[in-house]
Amino acid sequence: MSEVVMWNGSKRLQTQVLPVAEDTVSIRSLDWDRDRFDIEFGLEEGTTYNSFLIFGDKTALVDASHEKFHDLYLSTLQAELDKMGRKIDYIIVSHTEPDHSGLIPAVLDRYPEAIVCGSKVCLAFLQGLTHRPFTSQQVKGGDKIDLGQGHVMEFVMAPNLHWPDTMFSFDHGTNVMYTCDAFGLHYCTSDPFDVDIKAMMPHYRFYFDCLMKPNAKSVTTALRKVKDLQFEIIANGHGPILKYNVPELVGHYGTWAGAVSKTKASVAVLYASDYGFSDRLSQTLARGITKAGVETEMVDLLSADAQEIVAVAGRNKGIVLMCPPNDSAEARTSLAALTSAIKKGTQVVVAESFGGKDEPVDTLLASLVDVGASAMGAPLRVKDIPQQGLYQAFEETGTDLAQVLTGKEKLAELKSMDMDIAKAIARISSGLYVVTAAHNNARSAMVASWVSQASFEPLGLSIAVAKDRAIESLMQVGDSFVLNCLGEEDFSGTMRHFLQRFAAGADRFDGVSTFNAPNCESLPVLSSAIAYMRCKVVSRLETPDHWVSYCEVEDGEVMRPEARTAVHRRKIGNYY
């Protein structure tokens, strides 16, 4: 382990070098204090950026690191090469997202003779990143490069996991498969391998849900492509390297992606890769769509051909369009194909990318409506660098779109429930509560009744949250929230307020009196509550349509000792 270096005054950075397999080492860049910002960093345990060196007769570097690690990573890399008396012959670029390729220009400065290997799309993106000529070798699926001493690298194209240029690399000499983002997790620990799978799993699943689930078809395709490769270690780009639980963790990807493919509705999310915030915001919209049980198909407007756009427009019930740059000939071709092929009645959402050269969002929406599409609402606008509140609004818009597409189908499913059973289960009574949660500038709330005490020591409770609830993203493992108890004599006004359908991104606390929970200033407590408990999510159990969270109660207060909690009774169990 290197010494800890401080970045921006308060963020701890460190590098770790370790052997992964024969003639193979990993340089892990440990970002201990990576903040929750982009949606997939929801669990706040930092992250790592994993890079690898393979020493055959030739030396290959697989991926690099984030720009913030510039001096620390380059000095560590140089030390490992000096130790072996080597230079870099090949740079294998799994994809060009900046957290993995940000330092490739700096590596090329030191080793300008290195051959850069990547997919066709990858090399085109990298040219724009480096702004200089470099020696490159385009590889396709099934191509191989022999590094010597048995290290034969075979390449597998895995587009959209989670960028359009992604590829895997398999070393036949060590049975190590290099997968970059796929099979990763944002979880920073000094243990380099998947030893503590119990601690890893919430992060592994959340990472899948945010980054891979929107590309479930691509996950299934990639798994099919690698099924005959005898990989024993997965050298991923983030988090612990997978060594001890590979079959189980790969199996989860197959199961989770397979569940998505069974959905009846689907939405195409059209974005512009490596332009403004198009990638991140499109992933956030897709996250909102998939959490409501609708499949997404991610398509890059800058690399897809017109025929692909036409096919996508024909097979999806909804379209999300992120504004592409107005000076891109590829984008203009894709937009023309979209307007010619979109079906009448297709639900569309159009959003800005905040790239500085966005096509006018109102014009784009009007062009789709003019050919028969149905607008879900006004375009989504981005007026500043996105913060968590804006990401929340985008996710909620995605969920709203999915609910519009599946509303009739879900209502029919509820009506098909056995009525005798539904009436019996309705005899389970419960209290009435409002759950409030917040993080940074994102806040949310919901009425809850499926709540029960679950343990004495420590004091704990369970709460069921529907997967498509807006608040679900703020109730991950490690997150805190407040459970507000409603009084039986005056609950109706509060409940009516929080039961209304809010517009995406709307402030659910507008007009509601609150105060901050002690020891956690960001969490709102309802002034009208008769009691409250500040809770922390410890674990989650998945059911078909809800997450059941076990939570420890960390603090609480009874504010109206004489009042009793409102009781919720139902006549039938197919609604709340």
Side-chain angles (χ1 to χ4, degrees):
M1 297 279 278
S2 72
E3 296 294 321
V4 173
V5 173
M6 303 305 293
W7 182 71
N8 277 358
S10 62
K11 309 299 184 185
R12 298 168 297 155
L13 306 181
Q14 202 169 13
T15 55
Q16 178 187 41
V17 179
L18 63 135
V20 174
E22 186 176 1
D23 307 323
T24 306
V25 300
S26 174
I27 301 174
R28 302 177 73 231
S29 299
L30 309 180
D31 194 349
W32 291 103
D33 304 306
R34 172 69 192 241
D35 287 335
R36 179 192 224 161
F37 182 70
D38 296 331
I39 182 173
E40 75 271 20
F41 288 90
L43 302 186
E44 296 188 303
E45 294 290 346
T47 193
T48 73
Y49 313 98
N50 301 336
S51 174
F52 303 90
L53 281 168
I54 304 168
F55 298 106
D57 295 326
K58 301 286 188 179
T59 302
L61 174 69
V62 182
D63 298 321
S65 186
H66 196 290
E67 169 92 43
K68 69 174 74 172
F69 283 88
H70 183 282
D71 293 346
L72 188 55
Y73 175 82
L74 290 176
S75 63
T76 304
L77 174 64
Q78 191 64 56
E80 289 305 303
L81 292 169
D82 291 346
K83 189 187 303 182
M84 300 295 291
R86 297 294 192 98
K87 60 181 182 61
I88 295 175
D89 300 292
Y90 291 97
I91 302 173
I92 297 173
V93 183
S94 302
H95 82 178
T96 50
E97 192 176 13
D99 55 347
H100 302 289
S101 64
L103 289 180
I104 285 177
V107 174
L108 283 171
D109 285 343
R110 297 192 178 197
Y111 300 97
E113 72 284 358
I115 300 171
V116 180
C117 302
S119 67
K120 179 181 178 179
V121 177
C122 167
L123 295 176
F125 286 167
L126 198 60
Q127 192 66 60
L129 178 68
T130 59
H131 304 294
R132 77 194 74 182
F134 56 86
T135 304
S136 64
Q137 180 174 339
Q138 178 187 329
V139 295
K140 302 184 294 295
D143 287 356
K144 296 178 181 178
I145 292 177
D146 190 348
L147 300 178
Q149 300 183 34
H151 298 286
V152 177
M153 305 298 293
E154 180 175 347
F155 302 101
V156 178
M157 297 299 106
N160 298 319
L161 298 184
H162 69 113
W163 273 36
D165 59 349
T166 301
M167 71 178 187
F168 297 167
S169 308
F170 177 70
D171 186 348
H172 284 271
T174 57
N175 292 337
V176 176
M177 185 165 68
Y178 301 87
T179 62
C180 201
D181 280 344
F183 308 106
L185 59 156
H186 290 308
Y187 182 59
C188 188
T189 170
S190 58
D191 195 326
F193 296 109
D194 55 331
V195 174
D196 190 352
I197 191 170
K198 182 178 179 181
M200 286 172 50
M201 278 307 299
H203 307 270
Y204 188 73
R205 175 59 189 270
F206 190 66
Y207 182 97
F208 176 90
D209 284 347
C210 292
L211 293 183
M212 298 298 152
K213 190 174 181 180
N215 302 287
K217 288 182 179 178
S218 298
V219 171
T220 301
T221 300
L223 291 175
R224 186 176 67 250
K225 288 180 178 180
V226 303
K227 67 181 178 62
D228 294 327
L229 297 178
Q230 303 301 310
F231 52 88
E232 298 173 359
I233 295 174
I234 291 182
N236 50 18
H238 294 292
I241 298 163
L242 309 188
K243 181 177 181 179
Y244 300 111
N245 303 278
V246 171
E248 178 182 351
L249 293 170
V250 172
H252 284 315
Y253 261 51
T255 300
W256 297 334
V260 176
S261 66
K262 296 176 183 177
T263 60
K264 296 178 181 179
S266 61
V267 173
V269 180
L270 310 181
Y271 67 102
S273 59
D274 205 22
Y275 171 68
F277 288 84
S278 187
D279 296 290
R280 295 302 190 198
L281 292 172
S282 66
Q283 290 281 345
T284 305
L285 280 158
R287 157 78 170 154
I289 294 165
T290 57
K291 71 187 282 187
V294 171
E295 187 174 15
T296 54
E297 188 172 0
M298 308 294 293
V299 181
D300 176 23
L301 290 165
L302 306 185
S303 61
D305 59 36
Q307 187 176 0
E308 182 181 357
I309 297 293
V310 169
V312 164
R315 63 175 172 254
N316 287 280
K317 292 184 177 181
I319 299 287
V320 170
L321 176 61
M322 301 297 302
C323 290
N326 56 26
D327 59 354
S328 167
E330 294 83 0
R332 285 195 294 273
T333 300
S334 293
L335 292 174
L338 176 63
T339 54
S340 69
I342 195 167
K343 296 179 295 184
K344 289 185 178 180
T346 300
Q347 295 287 333
V348 295
V349 171
V350 179
E352 292 180 337
S353 296
F354 200 66
K357 298 181 292 184
D358 285 16
E359 286 278 2
V361 67
D362 295 297
T363 303
L364 284 180
L365 181 58
S367 69
L368 298 177
V369 172
D370 285 346
V371 293
S374 298
M376 264 284 297
L380 298 177
R381 303 181 189 278
V382 184
K383 298 181 180 180
D384 204 346
I385 293 175
Q387 301 295 322
Q388 192 172 358
L390 184 74
Y391 281 111
Q392 180 187 20
F394 270 60
E395 181 179 306
E396 290 175 10
T397 299
T399 300
D400 288 347
L401 173 59
Q403 290 172 340
V404 167
L405 295 177
T406 59
K408 291 182 180 179
E409 176 186 312
K410 290 189 174 181
L411 182 60
E413 289 176 354
L414 291 175
K415 289 182 176 180
S416 67
M417 184 183 298
D418 185 300
M419 286 298 104
D420 288 335
I421 297 176
K423 290 177 181 178
I425 203 168
R427 296 305 187 267
I428 301 174
S429 61
S430 57
L432 278 175
Y433 313 91
V434 172
V435 177
T436 54
H439 193 282
N440 293 336
N441 64 335
R443 303 197 303 173
S444 193
M446 74 167 192
V447 175
S449 57
W450 294 4
V451 179
S452 179
Q453 184 171 344
S455 64
F456 287 121
E457 183 58 42
L459 284 171
L461 55 85
S462 65
I463 180 170
V465 181
K467 290 180 177 179
D468 61 357
R469 289 280 192 178
I471 201 171
E472 183 271 339
S473 294
L474 300 177
M475 294 183 64
Q476 303 299 313
V477 172
D479 283 345
S480 295
F481 66 90
V482 170
L483 183 69
N484 298 270
C485 302
L486 302 184
E488 64 179 358
E489 295 182 355
D490 56 0
F491 69 88
S492 59
T494 301
M495 187 173 73
R496 187 165 53 250
H497 172 84
F498 287 106
L499 282 178
Q500 66 180 299
R501 188 171 184 85
F502 291 91
D507 182 7
R508 286 155 171 78
F509 298 92
D510 186 28
V512 176
S513 176
T514 65
F515 62 91
N516 294 330
N519 304 317
C520 194
E521 294 184 358
S522 65
L523 290 177
V525 179
L526 302 183
S527 300
S528 60
I530 64 171
Y532 78 89
M533 287 150 277
R534 178 168 57 83
C535 309
K536 183 175 182 179
V537 180
V538 175
S539 61
R540 304 205 308 170
L541 170 69
E542 185 176 15
T543 75
D545 47 21
H546 285 71
W547 287 102
V548 180
S549 298
Y550 169 70
C551 318
E552 291 184 3
V553 180
E554 298 185 319
D555 196 5
E557 181 183 353
V558 176
M559 295 177 289
R560 290 161 53 189
E562 75 289 350
R564 296 192 303 179
T565 302
V567 176
H568 183 48
R569 296 182 176 90
R570 300 177 293 168
K571 293 183 178 180
I572 195 165
N574 59 0
Y575 66 93
Y576 290 109

